[in-house]
Amino acid sequence: MSAGDVHLLRRRLRAALTAGKPAVGTFVKLASPDVVELAEAAGFAFVVVDLEHSTLTERDAVDLVRHADACGLPALVRVPEVDAAVVNRLLEAGAAGVQLSMLTRVAQAEALVAATRFAPGGRRSVSLANRAARFGAVPLAGFLRAEQDDPPVLVGQIETVRTDPLPDLVAALDVCFVGSTDLAVDLGLPADPAVLAAAVDRVRDAARCAQVAFGGWAPGRNAAAELGLGDADYLVVGSDLQMLAAGLRAAAGKENQ
């Protein structure tokens, strides 16, 4: 499988975030390269390989990222914490970016930046023996310049009420992502709809204040507006597993069960 151009994919995704309409992706929870190809063929702008809420292993994630890279589809990886070694291996495999869940402290955002940037902007370890560097075909200076010009896309999920000041928390990221499901639970499920809407508005306002893209998750495109994501720049819709389950229920005549 030939290496793609992850820097071009990052540039394309960043352009989509400022295009005035949502860049739409989906979560990938199944370890099948067919899912990545189907997502690309369906017209998704990106996929997020999920290492938080799935049974995917790091090996699975690497394979999915590599396949997405070869298909010309930006693939981010959602991680539950910043493990610099894991993050580096995923980026070397061709990940377009990293999505960090449960972001509450500026120190977490700083750790994410440090793990995804080479010195002097970070502490990421350098190697050319990987897919993103075309296995050494690109000179070190050229690879470092490409990484500086088009660094990994960084997404931080805001999922709790108690955090460091939100504009400071997301200032170094590309996307401020509201995790409305966890946020609703944090507010006391079932959360008062008005209270939850106000909390989502605070996250959106923080994104605009920090001049970063605003994003979130919805089970379907038609549910985005009611979740406060009508003006999202980065919209993750459902997941491969969710869509498969819905399709199977429909085929079995069990849609409403």
Side-chain angles (χ1 to χ4, degrees):
M1 187 186 300
S2 62
D5 186 345
V6 69
H7 302 101
L8 176 61
L9 296 181
R10 293 171 184 169
R11 197 178 318 138
R12 194 173 77 196
L13 180 54
R14 283 194 170 91
L17 295 177
T18 60
K21 58 182 180 180
V24 180
T26 191
F27 280 120
V28 174
K29 299 173 183 286
L30 299 172
S32 171
D34 292 339
V35 171
V36 171
E37 291 193 34
L38 286 166
E40 192 279 331
F44 282 106
F46 62 93
V47 292
V48 182
V49 176
D50 192 358
L51 282 181
E52 182 188 22
H53 292 297
S54 77
T55 60
L56 294 176
T57 65
E58 182 188 333
R59 177 72 262 174
D60 294 330
V62 165
D63 289 344
L64 289 165
V65 162
R66 285 168 60 91
H67 201 74
D69 176 55
C71 290
L73 181 66
L76 295 90
V77 182
R78 177 161 71 171
V79 296
E81 61 184 356
V82 179
D83 182 320
V86 172
V87 166
N88 199 21
R89 288 193 292 268
L90 292 166
L91 294 176
E92 289 181 346
V98 180
Q99 183 159 324
L100 176 63
S101 60
M102 287 292 178
L103 178 62
T104 62
R105 298 287 176 257
V106 170
Q108 291 173 277
E110 291 174 342
L112 180 60
V113 172
T116 58
R117 300 321 193 237
F118 295 121
R123 297 189 297 275
R124 181 181 168 194
S125 181
V126 183
S127 171
L128 296 180
N130 60 72
R131 184 183 188 85
R134 296 181 180 270
F135 302 102
V138 178
L140 177 59
F143 179 58
L144 294 178
R145 184 167 55 251
E147 283 288 320
Q148 182 176 15
D149 292 344
D150 296 295
V153 176
L154 302 183
V155 182
Q157 296 186 190
I158 309 302
E159 304 178 88
T160 61
V161 175
R162 292 164 295 281
T163 69
D164 286 349
L166 286 174
D168 297 337
L169 185 58
V170 302
L173 307 180
D174 294 281
V175 181
C176 173
F177 182 103
V178 60
S180 53
T181 302
D182 279 292
L183 189 56
V185 173
D186 191 52
L187 287 166
L189 199 62
D192 182 319
V195 173
L196 177 58
V200 172
D201 286 345
R202 284 195 294 274
V203 178
R204 179 193 301 103
D205 292 346
R208 302 310 184 208
C209 178
Q211 297 184 319
V212 302
F214 170 62
W217 176 88
R221 290 289 297 271
N222 58 358
E226 64 188 66
L227 291 172
L229 300 172
D231 61 346
D233 309 298
Y234 174 96
L235 182 64
V236 181
V237 177
S239 72
D240 54 356
L241 193 57
Q242 175 189 334
M243 295 176 202
L244 176 61
L248 289 171
R249 284 194 296 269
K254 307 289 186 180
E255 298 98 323
N256 299 319
Q257 297 184 21

